[in-house]
Every structure is written in C-alpha cells, then in structure tokens.
C-alpha cells in the first residue's frame, strides 16, 4: 500500500504536475485574466502588528493575494516573522491551522488521529517549545490520544486540531523574540488572530461555507459548516461574530508491537544447578539473577552440561500455588513442545550486553489495531470594537471552542511475550522455530502456549477552550501611546476511558512472520479468532492464569490563565522610540483522576456469557495488506450493561489510584526596549529593536506519592499529597536588526536569550507504578527551565512584486535540557510500598522499568532555511497565472542523552527532523484556482532513551504528504471548492532502535476528499 524510492518520488511529482496540467486548458478558456487584488495587496502593511491600532485591514481575495499580503508583512517586520493570511473572509488557505504552517520555512507538522495536523515543531524544536497566543493571550489546547501518540496531555503544547481554521483571519510564526514578547518559547511564538469588525471593507458582511467530507477508509460523508457576520454602526462601533461546526468519522488501521524487547526481560531465573560463567552479568538483586532462561525449556534440554527444566518441576507461584510444571509440561495442559535447536539458537545470541538470549528481540504485544472515531468540533468568536477616534481602539474579544471525541480502539494481542512467569507469560511458552537477522530482529517464529487477548479501549473526551480579553489602545499625542490587555482563558479536558480484555490462553501454532512485509507481519493465531467461545473473562486463577482485564479512569485537566499587561510607547526623536511595559500572569493547572477500585475482572453475573457483550471487528485483513485477521472484540456499551459497571466503586487518594495534583505559577515581568528606523536620519535604512526582559517565576506544586495505608483502611495503599514551592529569575536580553541593503534586499540579524518551562506533568511531585506492564515513573518539581542563547541571520531578496528568495542561518546554544532517564530496578528498590503487590503474582524481586525526569546538559543546534516565492508573471498569456512556493530547512543538533547510569549517547533533539521541505505549485485567475502541495519531513527521534530495554531510541519514519485543492468563482458571491488530502495514501510509521529499526507502529488512515460551496454578501 506504500510506494518507496524512485517510484514514490515519481508519483509525487506526476500527481502535482498532472493536476495543474489538467487545469491549464480550463484556465486558457477564461477571459484574459487580471489581478486587481494582487496589486492592491502589494502595498506595505504596517509592521507594528502586536497591537490592534497598528494592525492594518486584512483585505485579500484568493490564494495569490493571501501570499502577497503575508509577504508584505514579513518584509516590514524587524524580527524573523512569517505569516499566513486568510484568502478571503472566513476562508483560510487550508482546512487545518497546523497544515497551513507547513508552508512556512522551518515548520514541521506532527499528525494525529486520521492524519490530521496536531502540532508543530519549529527549526527542530518540538511543540513543547512553541508558545501559542490567541488574540494576544497565551493559551494551551489539550487533547487525549492513544498511548502511541502521547496519551492524555499534561504539558504546555498546543493541539491545533481543536480549533477550526474558519474562526481565524491570520496567523504568524515568530522565530526570533523581542523584549516585548512574553517568555516561554525556545522554538517559536505563534500568534492566532480572529477577525474584527473594522478589518472588513464593508459595513455589513455575511459569509458562509458548507463542506461535505469523505474518507476512503471510513467511507462516510461528514458535514463542515461555518458562517461569519460583521456589522459596523457608523465609523465608531462594530460587532463581528463567527461560528464553525464540523463532524468527522475516522477509521484507522495499524500494526502495533507496543514495545520490542530482548528475550531475557520476561524470562525466568535459571535453576542454581546451572553453572554461571564470569561473563554472565548480574541482573537485579537475587543471587542467581545473572542467567535468565527466556522460554519453557524443551523436553530433555541440556544447558552448560546440566539437564534443565524451566519452569522447574513443581514450581509454585509466590502465593504457593503450583502451576503444574513437570518434565513434560510447562504448566497444566500446556506440554513442552519446544525444540532444542530453536532454544539453543536463542541462547547462543548474546547481543551487545553479553546476556544469553539478549541478541533476540521480540515484539512485546504484537497486534492489529482498529481505531474508529467520531469527532465533533464547534467553535465561535464574538468581537465588539469601539473606535471613537483614530487615536482610540477598544475591543472586547470572546472565543469558544469545543472538541468532542468518541474513540474506540480494538486490538488483538499475543501477550505472552510481554509477561513474566508471575502472570503465566513468556516462561510458559514453547518455541518451535525462530529466526532473527544479524541485528537480532525477528524474521519469523513458531510458538506454542501463547496467551491471546482481545482488548478494547473505549474513550470519550471533550476539550473545551474559552477566552475573553479586553484590548485598549490610546494615542495621547503623535509621540505617546499606551496600550494593553486584560484577559482570562481556560482549557479543560474531560476524559473517560474504559479498557476491557478477554483471554484465550495456551494456544498452539502461533506464527509471526515478517518475510513478506518488514513493517506488518503475517500472524497465524492457531485458533478461530472470531469465536467468542474460545475466550474467558473473570478473576485470575491462583496459578497466575489471567482471564481478562478491566480498568476505567475518569480524568479532568484544567488550565486557567489570567493576564494583565500594560505598555507605553514614546517617540523620543524621529525614528527613535522607547517602549516599556509590565505584565502579570498566572497559570493554574489541576489534574484530577479517579479509577476503578479494582482492576480485577469480577465473575460475570448469572446468565451473562461472553456472547452477551462481544462482536467481531472487521476490516483488519482488508486494510493491512491481508497480513492480519479479523477478531472477536468487546462491545463497550453491551459490556457496561452486562456487568452493571455503574455499580462499581471508584477511588483516588484513598486507594492510591489515578492522580491528584496541580501547579500554580505566577509570572511578574517587565521590559524596556528601544525601536529605531534610520530611514530619515542616515544614508542607509536600519530598522530594529533592542531591549531586555526580566521575569520572576514563582510556583506552588503538589502531587500524589504512593504509601502504605494505615491499619483498618479499606485499601492497602493510599496517596500522601506532597507540596513544593520555589521560584527563579531570568534576565532575557534580545535584539533584532533589519538593514535595507537596497530597496529590494534586506539583511537581518537577531540575538536573544530564551527559556522554556517544564511541562506541568513533570513538575507535579508524584510517583506511581503500573503493575501490568511492570513500569514505574517519578516526576521532579525541582526541574529548571530549558535555557538557550540564540543567534539568527538572514538575507531576503524581494526581486519582483510578490516574489522572494531568502536564506537564513540560525544557531541555538541549549544550555540545559530535560530528559526522562530509564533503568531496570527490582520493585523493592524503587521506593514504593510492597503492599502494592498484594493480590498480584508479582514478587519484590521482579524487575520494573523506572523512569525519572531530570535536568541534563544541553547542546548546540544549528541550521539554515531556504525559501522561494515566485509568481510566474513573466510568462505570457494564461501561464502568468501560475506560481510556486518552495522551502527547505536543514537542522543539526547534539544532545548528550543519559541512557543508563553508566551509558550516554549523543543524538539529535527529540522531535527534530534533520531535513524538512515543502513545495506548492498553483494556478489562479479571476474565476479558477488550483494548487497542489508536497510536504516532506525526514525521520526524527520520538524518545531517547526509548524506554525499551537495550534500544537506544524510538523514531518516526520519514513521510511525504501530497494535498491539492481547487476553487471556481461562479460569480462575485458564490464559490465552489474541491479538496483532497493525502493523495498518495501515506502511512505513519514508528520504529525502535536506530540500528535494528524494528517496526513499532504502522498505521493507515486513507485519503480525504471535500466538496464545498462558499457564499458571501
């Protein structure tokens, strides 16, 4: 389903060129085209775009005019700022804000569910380093997602998927900072601006767009509607309101390994009768933990000259219950069918760590995934603007957005490779055949005694954002002006996630084979995967045999921000202005989560069987190259009714489940800045600003630490709430210079000191463990911000109207960084109470992967950007209506990552693509417009260390996305629009370890088509 190498590149080029070639005859048939709107927007736009009084009217029509307007804004700025302006009232160039920004040099897009743009990285720095301001106020937009895409948001990143483009008229990406811009950005500050009444040329404006959207995998048609109305009452007062609504159905199919681990991780300690050798490294705290036997040993197996049975005959679980192991059986009803040749093959591959079995890597939970979603997005703005004179502008801006999602993920796991003997996992599995490549990556294998699990995750989440801010701008004289804002916004995320699983244990003839497809294996499960009668649900047996799983959490994250800002500007002399201001902000983050009091499945009520709440998941084989199979799965609504889930008890602090934490930050800042322009005072024109910003940050944070509950408590453990208060100061100087070398050539130089604060979730003092997958995590409220010194230089040549060729160099010396370090630790040594293990088959000596957040040294980041904007006005006839955009960015960085207490690695920043590129070819005349865009993003790291054992990192593979759109103006009031995204059916592919590149996740989400009609009066 994917094209590679030369064939793929050819397809990309031919797709774009063919679309435009088809458009050319239609274009030629039009009357001789004119470009009145392009000429109108070639005029310069006032550079002081930070305040309402200085923002010029955004009057554009069409894609070319939108480009020209944005280019004029860029030309007049002194900092490195790129903008995107709406093509027309209520019509942004793309259907997603993040996707629009791909055309800006240095901006790379991260895609979420269904392939829609979720957040951005700028010049190699990920979304956590980018601040977003809406109508001048910093905001955070939160979403939830599958674990592979980041889970429930706990950071400062902005998810653009929550906002429709129709409610905004312009966005700007500020890559270099000035002293008057609030701190917090290491990569860029993105400004989103909603339209205002006095932006409009007419006294009354009414416009609307109706779209129908269709995806070729979900095969459903969905609506997307928007409308805007604006009315000016005389020359002094105006009101503007906009609303946008959309509904979308998504189907996505994927193969997921969840993790890839060496075979010794979930193996069993070898009996003490097996001799040890000096090269056997010690694992954990037990006296014999130097040698691990990964699988159930074959009948008659001999290792190092000693007959070995693992599990040993008569083996009992930690609770004393025998599992039925003897010389011929791994456990009761589960015979030893492995081959000596396959077992020796595994033990002979020691890998780089020297451990037997350490050179064979298996997917921990190999599984197909079907994800279906129903998304509903509603947003609107309301602006009241009062301009009693040219010297006064007062506006009250309100904005609301609600993003509501119902997502159902259905998975079919082979879970034996990701469970220890305490959960009847890998040591009870027999290996009959196995082959790996030279790096240890699995080629194919055949196993018996494999536990299968059908898993369902049903999630409903709602992300709401609301903001209101008052903007005041008054000019007391030609030389003195005061402006500021006061506002409040709130981002709220409500999540309800239910997970249920049913099991079929000790299945035989499980085969996994990567020989036909390196990304998606062919899996034979050895049973009829659609037969519910072969599965179980209920409490685990005393032997450790699992019979399903149950978990449910209900969570609310709230971020409330308040801002008060006042600025003054005084023109001390012609071309020389002093500007000063102060700002007081507060951010309050709270997280509340409660969970089911027990994750142990209860016995089904009388008369209820698995057939009462199961169905069959279809489409898996069809959409994953026929490699994987359809399977029985849980219907979430039927399950809730069948077990009366509403009657189950939930808890949080009292049972040490979920979370109870928060962070409250207060920022007091002030700045002093000079702005100058020598156009009228020197023989050359030098524009710029220079200043310093001081900020004092104080924070109070609290969070849950798991501890043993006092005697008589209902639960064995509880949370103790820990509190931490601290503060720190930053002095942040900055300077931007723009020299007009000639009337069309501008040289820019910028330097600044910048900082970016840790994510909220990292600051909450908390520690917890996941007993199912044997992991533990700890945060750190004493984390310092990430700080850097930056330098930028650029040369821009505006060689013709609407045209640009530019090159920019940037350098960031990142002084500090924040890493999540990982190491294997016995549970008894991680600092959590042993009572957490009560009721499980885990022992205190079982190894857990422990992750902690720490400040570590940073490293340099450097790169360059190339940018071209070229309308083909020099060509004859209809050809002059063509044009092209292209940009290329190359970035390099070096961060010293702490892999383990004794091992480090130098690698690029997480989220940094070393190369990104975008190209757009378009045609536009008075009636017809068509364009096609190709976006390339090179592979990038997603985690260092990976969190996986003996793997240095996880990565997102490179991608090329091709989109196209066309429109036709029936008359001055009605326009028809057609759009298609992901023309080449690109996939999202994640891998683990830079050498092995084992497939971790490969998903297909299909092509999306849209037809629309736009009207305006």
């Amino acid at each position: 389903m994917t094209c590679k190498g030369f064939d793929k590149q050819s397809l990309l080029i031919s797709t774009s060129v063919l679309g435009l070639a088809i458009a050319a005859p239609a274009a030629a048939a039009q009357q001789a085209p004119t470009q009145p709107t392009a000429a109108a927007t070639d005029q310069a736009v006032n550079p002081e775009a930070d305040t309402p009084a200085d923002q010029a009217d955004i009057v554009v029509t069409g894609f070319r005019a939108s480009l020209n307007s944005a280019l004029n804004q860029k030309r007049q700025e002194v900092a490195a700022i790129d903008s995107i302006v709406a093509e027309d009232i209520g019509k942004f160039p793309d259907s997603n804000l993040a996707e629009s920004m791909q055309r800006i040099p240095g901006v790379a897009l991260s895609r979420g569910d269904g392939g829609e743009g979720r957040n951005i990285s700028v010049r190699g720095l990920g979304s956590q380093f980018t601040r977003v301001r809406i109508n001048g106020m910093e905001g955070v937009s939160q979403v939830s997602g599958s674990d592979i895409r980041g889970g429930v948001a706990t950071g400062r990143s902005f998810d653009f998927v929550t906002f429709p483009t129709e409610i905004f008229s312009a966005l700007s990406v500020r890559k270099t900072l000035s002293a008057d811009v609030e701190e917090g950005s290491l990569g860029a500050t993105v400004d989103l601006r909603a339209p205002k009444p006095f932006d409009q040329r007419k006294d009354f404006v009414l416009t609307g767009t109706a779209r129908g959207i269709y995806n070729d995998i979900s095969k459903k048609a969905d609506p997307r509607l928007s409308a805007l109305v604006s009315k000016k009452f005389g020359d002094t007062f105006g009101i503007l309101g906009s609303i946008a609504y959309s509904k979308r159905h998504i189907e996505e199919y994927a193969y997921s390994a969840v993790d890839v681990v060496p075979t010794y991780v979930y193996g069993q300690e070898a009996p003490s009768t097996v001799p040890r050798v000096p090269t056997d490294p010690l694992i954990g705290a037990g006296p014999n933990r130097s040698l691990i036997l990964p699988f159930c040993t074959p009948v008659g197996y001999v290792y190092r000259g000693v007959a070995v049975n693992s599990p040993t005959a008569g083996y009992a679980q930690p609770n004393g219950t025998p599992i039925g192991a003897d010389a011929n059986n791994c456990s009761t009803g589960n015979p030893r069918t492995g081959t000596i040749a396959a077992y020796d093959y595994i033990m002979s591959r020691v890998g780089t760590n020297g451990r037997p079995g350490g050179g064979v890597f298996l997917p921990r939970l190999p599984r197909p995934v079907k994800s279906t979603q129903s998304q509903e997005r509603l947003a609107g703005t309301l602006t009241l603007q009062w301009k009693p004179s040219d010297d006064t502008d007062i506006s009250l801006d309100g904005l609301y957005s609600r993003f509501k999602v119902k997502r159902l993920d259905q998975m079919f796991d082979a879970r034996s490779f990701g469970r220890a003997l305490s959960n009847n996992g890998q040591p009870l599995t027999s290996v009959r055949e196995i082959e790996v490549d030279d790096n240890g990556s699995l080629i194919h294998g055949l196993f018996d005694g494999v536990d299968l699990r059908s898993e369902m995750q049903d999630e409903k989440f709602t992300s709401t954002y609301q903001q209101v801010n008052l903007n005041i701008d008054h000019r007391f004289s030609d030389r003195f002006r005061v402006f500021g804002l006061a506002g409040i916004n709130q981002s709220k995320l409500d999540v309800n996630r239910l997970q249920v699983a049913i099991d079929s244990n000790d299945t035989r003839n499980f085969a996994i084979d990567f020989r036909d497809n390196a990304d998606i294996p062919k899996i034979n499960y050895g049973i009829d995967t659609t037969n519910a009668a072969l599965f179980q649900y209920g409490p685990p047996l005393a032997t450790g045999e699992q019979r399903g799983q149950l978990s449910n959490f209900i969570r609310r994250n709230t971020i409330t921000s308040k801002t008060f800002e006042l600025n003054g500007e005084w023109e001390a002399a012609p071309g020389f202005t002093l500007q000063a201001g102060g700002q007081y902000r507060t951010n309050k983050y709270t997280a509340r989560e409660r969970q089911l009091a027990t994750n142990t499945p209860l016995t089904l009520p009388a008369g209820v069987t698995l057939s009462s709440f199961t169905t069959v998941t279809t489409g898996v084989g069809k959409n994953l190259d026929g490699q994987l199979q359809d399977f029985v799965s849980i219907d979430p609504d039927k399950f809730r009714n069948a077990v009366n889930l509403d009657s189950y008890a939930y808890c949080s602090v009292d049972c040490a489940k979920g979370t109870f934490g928060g962070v409250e930050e207060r920022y007091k800042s002030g700045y002093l800045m000079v702005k100058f322009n020598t156009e009228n005072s020197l023989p050359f024109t030098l524009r710029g600003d220079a200043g310093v910003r001081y900020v004092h940050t104080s924070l109070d944070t609290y969070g849950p630490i798991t501890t043993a509950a006092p005697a008589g408590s209902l639960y064995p453990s509880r949370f103790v709430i820990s509190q931490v208060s601290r503060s720190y100061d930053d002095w942040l100087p900055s300077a931007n210079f723009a020299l007009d070398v000639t009337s069309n050539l501008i040289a820019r130089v910028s330097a600044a000191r910048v900082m970016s604060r840790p994510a909220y979730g990292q600051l909450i003092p908390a520690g917890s463990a996941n007993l199912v997958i044997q992991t533990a995590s700890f945060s750190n409220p004493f984390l310092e911000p990430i700080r850097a010194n930056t330098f930028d230089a650029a040369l821009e040549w505006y060689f013709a109207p609407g045209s640009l060729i530019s090159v920019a160099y940037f350098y960031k010396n990142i002084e500090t960084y924040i890493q999540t370090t990982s190491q294997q630790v016995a549970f008894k040594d991680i600092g959590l109470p042993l009572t957490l293990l009560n009721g499980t088959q885990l022992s205190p000596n079982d190894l857990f992967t422990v992750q902690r957040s720490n400040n570590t040294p940073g490293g340099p980041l450097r790169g360059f950007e190339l940018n071209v904007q070229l309308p083909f006005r020099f060509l004859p006839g209809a050809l002059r209506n063509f044009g092209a955009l292209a940009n290329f960015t190359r970035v390099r960085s070096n961060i010293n990552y702490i892999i383990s207490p004794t091992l480090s690695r130098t690698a690029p920043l997480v989220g940094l693509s070393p190369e990104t590129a975008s190209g757009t070819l378009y045609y536009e005349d008075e009636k017809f417009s068509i364009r096609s865009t190709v976006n390339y993003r090179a592979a990038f790291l997603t985690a260092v260390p990976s969190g996986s054992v003996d793997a240095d990192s996880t990565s997102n593979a490179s991608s090329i996305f091709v989109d196209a759109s066309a429109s036709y103006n029936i008359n001055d009031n009605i326009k028809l629009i057609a759009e298609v995204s992901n023309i080449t059916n690109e996939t999202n592919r994640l891998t683990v370890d830079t050498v092995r590149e084992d497939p971790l996740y490969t998903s297909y989400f299909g092509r999306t088509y849209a037809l629309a009609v736009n009207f305006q009066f």
Side-chain angles (χ1 to χ4, degrees), residues 642-656:
V643 304
N644 192 19
L645 189 64
D646 290 341
S647 67
Y648 283 39
Y650 289 79
C651 59
S652 178
V653 174
D654 50 337
C655 67

Side-chain angles (χ1 to χ4, degrees), residues 408-537:
L408 178 64
D409 295 334
Q410 296 162 304
M411 299 150 281
F412 197 78
D413 313 338
R415 65 184 182 89
S416 290
F417 306 113
R419 298 290 186 269
L421 182 55
S422 56
N423 285 315
N424 280 18
Q426 186 174 286
L428 298 186
T429 300
S430 296
V431 54
R432 290 161 50 189
E433 297 177 11
I434 193 166
E435 181 184 4
V436 298
D437 64 18
D438 292 341
N439 294 320
S441 299
L442 181 65
I443 297 176
H444 72 95
L446 179 62
F447 307 87
D448 288 333
V450 175
D451 298 339
L452 303 179
R453 168 168 286 180
S454 177
E455 185 175 351
M456 173 276 295
Q457 178 173 292
D458 179 57
E459 178 173 284
K460 302 178 181 68
F461 78 81
T462 301
S463 175
T464 57
Y465 183 92
Q466 46 196 340
Q467 175 175 312
V468 60
N469 55 286
L470 176 68
N471 304 274
I472 299 176
D473 191 321
H474 180 68
R475 186 172 293 279
F476 289 89
S477 68
D478 292 341
R479 299 175 60 187
F480 183 63
R481 167 181 166 233
V482 173
F483 56 98
L485 67 85
I488 181 172
N489 61 43
Q490 184 178 81
S491 172
K492 188 179 294 183
L493 175 64
D494 289 292
V495 183
N496 187 327
R497 179 184 292 180
L498 171 68
Q499 292 175 288
V500 185
I502 55 177
D503 291 341
S504 181
N505 296 321
D506 295 336
T507 62
R508 320 195 71 73
N509 298 310
F510 175 85
I512 180 169
D513 193 338
F514 285 94
R515 286 175 290 192
D516 292 339
N517 189 322
D519 294 326
I520 304 176
K522 186 176 183 64
I523 298 181
N524 189 323
Y525 297 95
I527 65 169
D528 179 0
T529 57
T530 64
N531 186 356
L534 301 178
F535 291 79
Q536 304 175 71
Y537 179 85

Side-chain angles (χ1 to χ4, degrees), residues 274-287:
V274 180
R276 269 52 174 180
V277 298
T279 55
D280 290 339
L282 185 66
I283 307 172

Side-chain angles (χ1 to χ4, degrees), residues 17 52 59 63 220 240 298 332 410 439 481 510 541 578-579 644-645 658 708 950 976 982:
V17 174
V59 180
F63 183 66
K220 292 184 178 180
L240 183 147
T332 301
Q410 296 162 304
N439 294 320
R481 167 181 166 233
F510 175 85
L541 302 180
L578 289 175
Q579 184 174 319
N644 192 19
L645 189 64
D950 295 340
L976 301 179
N982 194 22

